[in-house]
Short mmCIF file of all heavy atoms in Angstrom, two decimals:
data_model
loop_
_atom_site.label_atom_id
_atom_site.label_comp_id
_atom_site.label_asym_id
_atom_site.label_seq_id
_atom_site.Cartn_x
_atom_site.Cartn_y
_atom_site.Cartn_z
N LEU A 119 6.55 23.66 -1.75
CA LEU A 119 7.07 24.79 -0.99
C LEU A 119 8.57 24.59 -0.83
O LEU A 119 9.01 23.57 -0.30
CB LEU A 119 6.41 24.87 0.39
CG LEU A 119 7.08 25.82 1.40
CD1 LEU A 119 6.97 27.28 0.94
CD2 LEU A 119 6.48 25.65 2.79
N ALA A 120 9.35 25.55 -1.30
CA ALA A 120 10.78 25.58 -1.00
C ALA A 120 10.94 26.38 0.28
O ALA A 120 11.01 27.61 0.28
CB ALA A 120 11.55 26.22 -2.15
N ALA A 121 10.95 25.67 1.41
CA ALA A 121 10.84 26.32 2.71
C ALA A 121 11.96 27.31 2.98
O ALA A 121 11.74 28.38 3.55
CB ALA A 121 10.80 25.25 3.81
N ASP A 122 13.17 26.97 2.56
CA ASP A 122 14.31 27.86 2.83
C ASP A 122 14.22 29.16 2.05
O ASP A 122 14.77 30.18 2.47
CB ASP A 122 15.62 27.15 2.47
CG ASP A 122 15.86 25.93 3.33
OD1 ASP A 122 15.24 25.83 4.40
OD2 ASP A 122 16.67 25.06 2.94
N LEU A 123 13.52 29.13 0.92
CA LEU A 123 13.41 30.31 0.07
C LEU A 123 12.08 31.04 0.24
O LEU A 123 11.93 32.18 -0.22
CB LEU A 123 13.58 29.91 -1.40
CG LEU A 123 14.89 29.24 -1.78
CD1 LEU A 123 14.86 28.79 -3.24
CD2 LEU A 123 16.07 30.17 -1.53
N GLY A 124 11.10 30.37 0.84
CA GLY A 124 9.77 30.96 0.95
C GLY A 124 9.08 31.08 -0.39
O GLY A 124 8.26 31.98 -0.60
N GLU A 125 9.38 30.14 -1.31
CA GLU A 125 8.81 30.18 -2.66
C GLU A 125 7.98 28.93 -2.91
O GLU A 125 8.23 27.87 -2.32
CB GLU A 125 9.92 30.29 -3.71
CG GLU A 125 10.74 31.56 -3.61
CD GLU A 125 11.86 31.63 -4.61
OE1 GLU A 125 12.02 30.67 -5.40
OE2 GLU A 125 12.61 32.63 -4.61
N ARG A 126 6.99 29.07 -3.80
CA ARG A 126 6.07 27.98 -4.07
C ARG A 126 5.96 27.71 -5.57
O ARG A 126 6.31 28.56 -6.40
CB ARG A 126 4.66 28.30 -3.52
CG ARG A 126 4.64 28.46 -2.01
CD ARG A 126 3.24 28.79 -1.51
NE ARG A 126 3.20 28.95 -0.07
CZ ARG A 126 3.01 27.97 0.79
NH1 ARG A 126 2.82 26.72 0.35
NH2 ARG A 126 3.00 28.20 2.09
N ASP A 127 5.44 26.54 -5.88
CA ASP A 127 5.13 26.18 -7.26
C ASP A 127 3.97 25.19 -7.24
O ASP A 127 3.74 24.51 -6.22
CB ASP A 127 6.35 25.56 -7.95
CG ASP A 127 6.17 25.42 -9.46
OD1 ASP A 127 5.35 26.18 -10.02
OD2 ASP A 127 6.85 24.58 -10.07
N GLU A 128 3.25 25.13 -8.33
CA GLU A 128 2.17 24.17 -8.49
C GLU A 128 2.10 23.81 -9.96
O GLU A 128 2.16 24.68 -10.83
CB GLU A 128 0.84 24.73 -8.01
CG GLU A 128 -0.31 23.74 -8.10
CD GLU A 128 -1.61 24.26 -7.51
OE1 GLU A 128 -1.55 25.21 -6.70
OE2 GLU A 128 -2.68 23.71 -7.85
N PHE A 129 1.98 22.51 -10.25
CA PHE A 129 1.94 22.06 -11.64
C PHE A 129 1.30 20.68 -11.70
O PHE A 129 1.09 20.03 -10.67
CB PHE A 129 3.35 22.01 -12.23
CG PHE A 129 4.27 21.02 -11.55
CD1 PHE A 129 4.45 19.74 -12.07
CD2 PHE A 129 4.95 21.36 -10.39
CE1 PHE A 129 5.28 18.83 -11.44
CE2 PHE A 129 5.78 20.46 -9.75
CZ PHE A 129 5.95 19.18 -10.29
N ARG A 130 0.98 20.26 -12.91
CA ARG A 130 0.54 18.89 -13.13
C ARG A 130 1.66 18.13 -13.83
O ARG A 130 2.30 18.67 -14.74
CB ARG A 130 -0.75 18.84 -13.95
CG ARG A 130 -1.97 19.32 -13.15
CD ARG A 130 -3.27 19.09 -13.88
NE ARG A 130 -4.40 19.51 -13.06
CZ ARG A 130 -5.02 18.73 -12.18
NH1 ARG A 130 -4.61 17.48 -12.00
NH2 ARG A 130 -6.03 19.19 -11.47
N VAL A 131 1.87 16.91 -13.42
CA VAL A 131 2.99 16.12 -13.93
C VAL A 131 2.91 16.00 -15.44
O VAL A 131 1.87 15.64 -15.99
CB VAL A 131 3.00 14.72 -13.29
CG1 VAL A 131 4.13 13.87 -13.88
CG2 VAL A 131 3.16 14.83 -11.78
N GLY A 132 3.99 16.32 -16.10
CA GLY A 132 4.07 16.20 -17.55
C GLY A 132 3.55 17.40 -18.31
O GLY A 132 3.66 17.43 -19.54
N GLU A 133 2.99 18.37 -17.62
CA GLU A 133 2.45 19.55 -18.29
C GLU A 133 3.38 20.74 -18.12
O GLU A 133 3.96 20.95 -17.05
CB GLU A 133 1.08 19.92 -17.71
CG GLU A 133 0.00 18.89 -18.01
CD GLU A 133 -1.35 19.33 -17.49
OE1 GLU A 133 -1.41 20.34 -16.76
OE2 GLU A 133 -2.33 18.64 -17.79
N GLY A 134 3.52 21.52 -19.15
CA GLY A 134 4.27 22.77 -19.05
C GLY A 134 5.75 22.57 -19.28
O GLY A 134 6.30 21.50 -19.07
N ALA A 135 6.38 23.63 -19.72
CA ALA A 135 7.82 23.63 -19.95
C ALA A 135 8.56 23.73 -18.62
O ALA A 135 8.01 24.23 -17.64
CB ALA A 135 8.20 24.79 -20.87
N PRO A 136 9.81 23.26 -18.59
CA PRO A 136 10.59 23.39 -17.36
C PRO A 136 10.76 24.85 -16.96
O PRO A 136 10.86 25.73 -17.80
CB PRO A 136 11.93 22.76 -17.73
CG PRO A 136 11.66 21.91 -18.91
CD PRO A 136 10.53 22.56 -19.64
N HIS A 137 10.80 25.10 -15.66
CA HIS A 137 11.05 26.43 -15.13
C HIS A 137 12.50 26.50 -14.64
O HIS A 137 13.14 25.49 -14.42
CB HIS A 137 10.10 26.74 -13.96
CG HIS A 137 8.71 27.07 -14.39
ND1 HIS A 137 7.98 26.26 -15.22
CD2 HIS A 137 7.92 28.13 -14.12
CE1 HIS A 137 6.79 26.81 -15.43
NE2 HIS A 137 6.73 27.94 -14.75
N GLY A 138 13.00 27.69 -14.47
CA GLY A 138 14.35 27.86 -13.98
C GLY A 138 14.46 27.60 -12.49
O GLY A 138 13.47 27.46 -11.79
N GLY A 139 15.71 27.55 -12.01
CA GLY A 139 15.96 27.40 -10.59
C GLY A 139 15.46 26.09 -10.03
O GLY A 139 15.42 25.06 -10.71
#
Side-chain angles (χ1 to χ4, degrees):
L119 167 66
D122 297 341
L123 301 175
E125 297 177 0
R126 298 179 180 272
D127 191 24
E128 183 175 340
F129 63 96
R130 289 188 178 272
V131 177
E133 293 183 352
H137 284 53

